Amino acid sequence: VVFFILAWFTMKFVWPPIAKALDERAQKIADGLAAADRAKSELTAANQRVEKELSQARNETASRLADADRRAQAIIEEAKARATEEGNKIVAAARAEAEQQTVQAREALREQVAALAVKGAEQILRKEVNAGVHADLLNRLKTEL
């Protein structure tokens, strides 16, 4: 009888708070596990987003580097073209100057040869040739030389 009264008392007053505490504890554990699963899935999703953004950043960086390389090559080629053009202009100017100096040298040489011819003729004839009087003759001599 005492056992039944103790069992009834335990079932009526002691067991419900213990069962309630055990149920609450089980619920808290289940909620914690669910939160851990949610956090794990969120972490996985966040890692995927981070990897995706890193991949995009790498691709964008590679693209920008490729663009920079292309621009650098274009600038180098443009500079080479300008340098070649400038070099060609300098060579053409040097050639023109050399040609002009050659023409001047030829003219000076003709003048000297004409003067020498006049002196030679003067010595041969033993008389002075007048440059003013014989200018036409001297100009033809220059042209022929």
Side-chain angles (χ1 to χ4, degrees):
V1 176
V2 172
F3 178 74
F4 287 114
I5 292 174
L6 181 63
W8 174 81
F9 180 77
T10 304
M11 294 289 267
K12 182 81 176 168
F13 296 107
V14 176
W15 188 254
I18 291 174
K20 183 178 176 185
L22 287 175
D23 288 343
E24 286 175 1
R25 177 78 174 147
Q27 185 62 39
K28 284 182 184 178
I29 290 172
D31 289 344
L33 288 174
D37 285 341
R38 282 193 308 271
K40 188 176 180 182
S41 66
E42 288 174 6
L43 178 63
T44 303
N47 282 338
Q48 288 175 349
R49 284 192 308 269
V50 166
E51 285 298 322
K52 183 178 177 183
E53 288 178 14
L54 282 174
S55 175
Q56 288 175 345
R58 284 186 194 115
N59 290 340
E60 187 176 325
T61 301
S63 174
R64 287 183 181 179
L65 286 174
D67 287 344
D69 284 341
R70 282 192 295 272
R71 287 180 189 164
Q73 289 300 323
I75 290 170
I76 288 170
E77 291 301 321
E78 184 179 328
K80 283 180 183 178
R82 277 194 228 140
T84 302
E85 182 180 329
E86 188 67 26
N88 290 340
K89 285 180 183 178
I90 291 170
V91 168
R95 284 185 180 156
E97 185 178 342
E99 183 67 29
Q100 186 179 25
Q101 287 178 354
T102 304
V103 168
Q104 289 174 351
R106 284 183 184 158
E107 286 297 319
L109 187 60
R110 283 184 185 150
E111 298 267 339
Q112 290 175 358
V113 168
L116 286 175
V118 168
K119 280 187 181 182
E122 184 179 305
Q123 286 180 359
I124 291 173
L125 296 174
R126 293 276 180 207
K127 65 179 188 176
E128 185 178 329
V129 176
N130 189 350
V133 174
H134 299 101
D136 196 31
L137 177 64
L138 292 175
N139 283 337
R140 276 188 288 157
L141 181 61
K142 283 183 194 177
T143 306
E144 289 176 13
L145 294 177

